[in-house]
Amino acid sequence: PEGGCLRAWAAHNRALVERWATARCGGEARQVRRQQRDEFGELLLSIRGLPAALPALPLELTVLYNSLLFTAGASDSAIKGEAEGIRQGLLRVLEACGTCGQDLGTEALWQKVLQEVTVEELQAPLHHLGALQAAWWLAAGRLGSVAGLFQLLSTAEEPGRSHCSEGQNKLLSLIKAWQVPPEGASLPLVQSAKDLKEILCTAAAFLQGLQELEAGNFPTALSLLQEAAGGFCSKKILAQIYTCLGCCAQRMGKPQTALQHLKRALQVDFQCLPALSHAAAVYHELGETDVELQALILLYEALGKNPPAAASSSPCFLMRTELLVHTPVLASLLRHHHPSEVKYLLAQRCLQDGRVADAVEHYLDFLSLLQEGLQQQVPLDGSSALPRIPEVFLEAASALEQAGRHQDAITVCEEVISRTTDLIPRVLRVEERLEQPECSSPGAELAGGLLSQKKESLCCLAWRAAGYLHQGWAWAKLGESKEAVTQFSRCLSDLLRLQLQGSGVKPTENLQAEVEVLQKIRLLSLIGRGTQFLELGRHKEALLDFQYSLQISPGDPAAASYLVQALWKLNRKQEAAAQWQKLSQSFPGEDGHQRGQGRPLPLYLVSCLEQAMFPHSEPLARSIQDYLGTAAQDTS
């Protein structure tokens, strides 16, 4: 091109850069970014409208660099895909030098250009463009490609020199060793290559730290994340890095260190609510329930407010760390909870800690949120803290029972029972061993679907039976023993639908948890009905229920204690005494309390377990000891 065109294009580039320099931190920066992106794109098209020529290439590569920066910065979203235009720019460099590379991939193309093109005027623009290429590859997670590119850039400067000492991170060492070429006054850049280098260092440390965190290499992750925290980034990203440091420290078993990092995240950016969520989890781990609940209340209140526009993302820069770091593990660590999830966590923690009045309030608030279309607001990808909705209803019923609101508990359970009635088959068979075809076989998908359907049916059966179980205990608390017996009987009748098939009693491993819950419900319902039979004076029927209970759970201390009481009331005192001695030898000091065995029970069954505990251990023990003492005297 003639000198006039070059001067005009260079003047246009300079004018656009100067305009951005004055507008980038103003209120119209977003609009200016879009305009500049379009104008740089048009300028680049004008230059590329002529054949590639060495005199014009430094300007062309500079305009390409500026254009790509506006392309990245104008969208405010994570960089994806390839950097459009870089490959064409490299091919035009080779064309001007009398060679070609159309059949080469991008990495091989960079290698050819950096090794064969020695024109002095092209070195700085090529290095600037190389740093931009590295940004796109970092965003794509191609860390090896980035390392290879900086190895080429550094080798071009100082052939034969090693840039990584033992124990140092190779990628970070290569980026730091890269010598940023000076920016020419005649070819200004909209964002300096020096700033871009700092951003690349921060993003590389952050990305590698996240990779190591996901892999479980926590000390390495901690070191890399600390490196990122000392880098060049916005307050928003710095708060995210501190949040990740907190999660890393927590997984390393250092909760106090984790809290320090999470508090730092909130100090840097008070809008970083995931840090508050993780802090609540750490306090839960430490058993500091008061502080945990305070954190959850703050989180709930913060989520309920309309957050101000995120102004902490450094709009003055086009290329920013947040555009380069967008991995699934980071999205998981920084997931924002829906207010309803936090409300549920508050209810759950209060119930677990015995704060029944608060638990009732939070559960009722949560149930009212269901009227607002909660299912449409909470993610269904398994990341939500919410259990299945029937379980929440049953937990609410448990809280209401413990608060003495038995009629309300009965009403809540009726909702669960009515909603699950049509979802349970009349007979639900569970084989001892379910043969599953290989994943590649044609029947694998069908077998998986059948297993999933059976698991869902078992869950529905458990929820419905648990509803009757809670109603039984609620009526018992109200002194309505006949109604309680009716509800316990309905629970047991429901559970007759479950048929375990096979030589043993253990179901397939995939359904073990569901079947164990159903067996526990059956045990608690038999004990519950037996206690009400005792209240009604129907001692023989009570004895049968306690005997059935011990068949389901041999040696269960509550069932065994009630069995002794039933025998005693039937005046079968010798048998009662023998059973009591056997029980005392098996579980000394347990006083008929349930033992914690196997996997944890669902929260909605814990109160039923507590109600099934035998409450008369000491009086019954004294009566039996008096009887044994008298019998011994008679014998002597």
Side-chain angles (χ1 to χ4, degrees):
E2 296 181 4
C5 287
L6 275 178
R7 284 192 294 272
W9 290 335
H12 193 181
N13 176 72
R14 189 181 308 107
L16 290 175
V17 172
E18 289 172 356
R19 182 185 175 197
W20 171 245
T22 58
R24 65 179 191 169
C25 292
E28 299 180 353
R30 191 180 300 273
Q31 182 181 353
V32 172
R33 273 185 286 176
R34 288 194 290 266
Q35 292 174 350
Q36 300 276 85
R37 175 195 60 195
D38 296 340
E39 290 193 46
F40 268 114
E42 291 173 6
L43 177 57
L44 184 62
L45 284 175
S46 298
I47 298 172
R48 286 182 169 174
L50 297 175
L54 284 174
L57 277 175
L59 174 62
E60 179 179 338
L61 296 180
T62 300
V63 172
L64 174 59
Y65 174 92
N66 290 337
S67 176
L68 286 171
L69 279 172
F70 275 107
T71 299
S75 65
D76 274 335
S77 59
I79 291 174
K80 295 179 181 178
E82 286 287 342
E84 292 296 330
I86 288 184
R87 179 180 176 82
Q88 186 179 353
L90 296 177
L91 289 173
R92 282 173 65 84
V93 169
L94 292 177
E95 180 187 341
C97 293
T99 183
C100 64
Q102 291 283 359
D103 56 339
L104 298 176
T106 306
E107 289 184 55
L109 192 58
W110 269 109
Q111 184 175 359
K112 182 178 180 66
V113 168
L114 291 174
Q115 288 178 347
E116 296 183 10
V117 177
T118 58
V119 178
E120 185 65 28
E121 292 78 9
L122 290 178
Q123 297 310 303
L126 282 172
H127 274 246
H128 297 157
L129 200 59
L132 211 50
Q133 175 71 78
W136 253 265
W137 280 344
L138 271 182
R142 295 174 57 180
L143 305 187
S145 300
V146 176
L149 180 55
F150 275 103
Q151 183 78 56
L152 287 169
L153 292 171
S154 300
T155 302
E157 296 166 350
E158 300 176 82
R161 179 183 166 187
S162 174
H163 299 282
C164 182
S165 303
E166 187 175 352
Q168 290 183 319
N169 182 274
K170 180 181 177 182
L171 177 56
L172 289 178
S173 298
L174 285 168
I175 298 175
K176 289 176 181 179
W178 174 53
Q179 310 237 337
V180 181
E183 183 179 334
S186 61
L187 297 173
L189 307 175
V190 291
Q191 185 171 342
S192 74
K194 182 180 179 182
D195 286 346
L196 184 54
K197 175 182 175 179
E198 294 297 325
I199 290 168
L200 292 174
C201 280
T202 304
F206 196 4
L207 283 166
Q208 290 181 103
L210 290 170
Q211 285 184 347
E212 297 295 339
L213 179 59
E214 187 175 24
N217 301 324
F218 302 130
T220 307
L222 198 67
S223 175
L224 287 163
L225 291 171
Q226 286 171 337
E227 174 89 22
F232 187 83
C233 62
S234 65
K235 288 184 177 181
K236 177 182 176 181
I237 286 294
L238 183 57
Q240 292 180 3
I241 294 171
Y242 277 120
T243 301
C244 295
L245 277 166
C247 295
C248 185
Q250 182 185 12
R251 295 179 188 183
M252 292 174 75
K254 298 179 178 180
Q256 295 298 340
T257 304
L259 288 174
Q260 290 175 10
H261 289 307
L262 294 170
K263 288 176 182 177
R264 181 74 177 124
L266 290 166
Q267 288 169 356
V268 170
D269 182 4
F270 67 92
Q271 295 181 48
C272 188
L273 298 184
L276 190 54
S277 175
H278 287 295
V282 176
Y283 284 125
H284 178 68
E285 182 182 305
L286 290 170
E288 297 184 23
T289 307
D290 288 336
V291 193
E292 177 198 2
L293 292 176
Q294 288 175 19
L296 287 173
I297 289 169
L298 284 173
L299 180 60
Y300 181 74
E301 292 173 349
L303 288 169
K305 297 174 183 175
N306 290 323
S312 56
S313 59
S314 296
C316 298
F317 292 100
L318 294 167
M319 182 62 70
R320 307 183 296 280
T321 309
E322 44 264 57
L323 301 180
L324 307 182
V325 183
H326 48 91
T327 65
V329 63
L330 181 63
S332 174
L333 292 172
L334 299 179
R335 191 181 78 82
H336 278 267
H337 289 286
H338 188 271
S340 58
E341 295 178 84
V342 183
K343 176 59 75 173
Y344 170 74
L345 281 175
L346 278 165
Q348 181 196 58
R349 297 290 187 260
C350 287
L351 183 59
Q352 289 171 331
D353 197 54
R355 305 177 188 221
V356 177
D358 291 336
V360 167
E361 179 184 347
H362 291 308
Y363 273 115
L364 293 180
D365 286 346
F366 177 84
L367 294 182
S368 70
L369 289 172
L370 288 177
Q371 308 303 318
E372 301 173 13
L374 177 64
Q375 287 88 340
Q376 283 75 45
Q377 302 169 25
V378 177
L380 300 176
D381 57 2
S383 62
S384 171
L386 294 176
R388 301 290 294 277
I389 296 301
E391 293 188 22
V392 182
F393 271 79
L394 291 169
E395 289 174 18
S398 177
L400 288 164
E401 279 182 68
Q402 293 175 63
R405 297 172 59 173
H406 304 300
Q407 287 289 357
D408 290 335
I410 290 168
T411 301
V412 170
C413 289
E414 193 59 42
E415 183 74 14
V416 176
I417 292 166
S418 63
R419 294 292 184 94
T420 53
T421 296
D422 297 331
L423 304 177
I424 308 168
R426 290 186 178 181
V427 178
L428 189 53
R429 295 184 178 88
V430 177
E431 294 79 7
E432 180 184 12
R433 183 175 296 174
L434 186 65
E435 295 294 338
Q436 295 191 45
E438 296 294 328
C439 293
S440 58
S441 71
E445 187 175 341
L446 177 62
L450 291 172
L451 184 64
S452 177
Q453 184 179 357
K454 187 162 291 188
K455 187 186 285 280
E456 182 70 8
S457 296
L458 287 171
C459 287
C460 290
L461 179 58
W463 298 330
R464 179 178 156 96
Y468 284 130
L469 177 66
H470 276 287
Q471 287 186 331
W473 284 114
W475 284 114
K477 290 292 184 181
L478 290 169
E480 300 286 345
S481 294
K482 288 185 178 180
E483 187 62 37
V485 166
T486 299
Q487 299 308 318
F488 286 130
S489 298
R490 285 175 176 169
C491 174
L492 293 166
S493 176
D494 250 14
L495 293 173
L496 289 176
R497 302 177 187 221
L498 177 65
Q499 295 183 5
L500 295 178
Q501 296 184 333
S503 57
V505 295
K506 290 186 177 180
T508 174
E509 187 66 28
N510 292 312
L511 303 174
Q512 181 74 32
E514 288 76 16
V515 171
E516 284 182 9
V517 168
L518 288 166
Q519 294 290 62
K520 181 62 75 172
I521 292 173
R522 176 177 282 154
L523 170 68
L524 295 173
S525 194
L526 282 167
I527 292 175
R529 189 172 71 174
T531 63
Q532 298 312 296
F533 279 144
L534 288 177
E535 290 290 328
L536 294 168
R538 296 160 63 177
H539 300 148
K540 288 184 179 179
E541 291 166 282
L543 180 64
L544 284 173
D545 275 349
F546 300 137
Q547 288 172 334
Y548 289 143
S549 300
L550 288 171
Q551 289 177 12
I552 294 170
S553 180
D556 182 86
S561 300
Y562 276 116
L563 176 70
V564 172
Q565 187 184 35
L567 288 168
W568 190 261
K569 287 181 177 291
L570 286 166
N571 206 29
R572 293 162 62 175
K573 296 186 177 180
Q574 189 173 354
E575 291 178 68
Q579 287 289 339
W580 184 262
Q581 288 177 314
K582 181 180 177 183
L583 177 64
S584 300
Q585 291 168 2
S586 301
F587 315 110
E590 292 211 13
D591 296 332
H593 281 48
Q594 296 282 337
R595 296 162 291 156
Q597 285 189 339
R599 69 188 87 215
L601 277 180
L603 181 57
Y604 62 81
L605 286 181
V606 172
S607 63
C608 296
L609 190 67
E610 292 170 351
Q611 291 180 89
M613 291 178 180
F614 185 67
H616 313 298
S617 297
E618 292 184 10
L620 183 59
R622 282 195 298 271
S623 298
I624 292 175
Q625 286 166 0
D626 291 344
Y627 167 78
L628 290 172
T630 303
Q633 288 177 1
D634 292 345
T635 303
S636 62

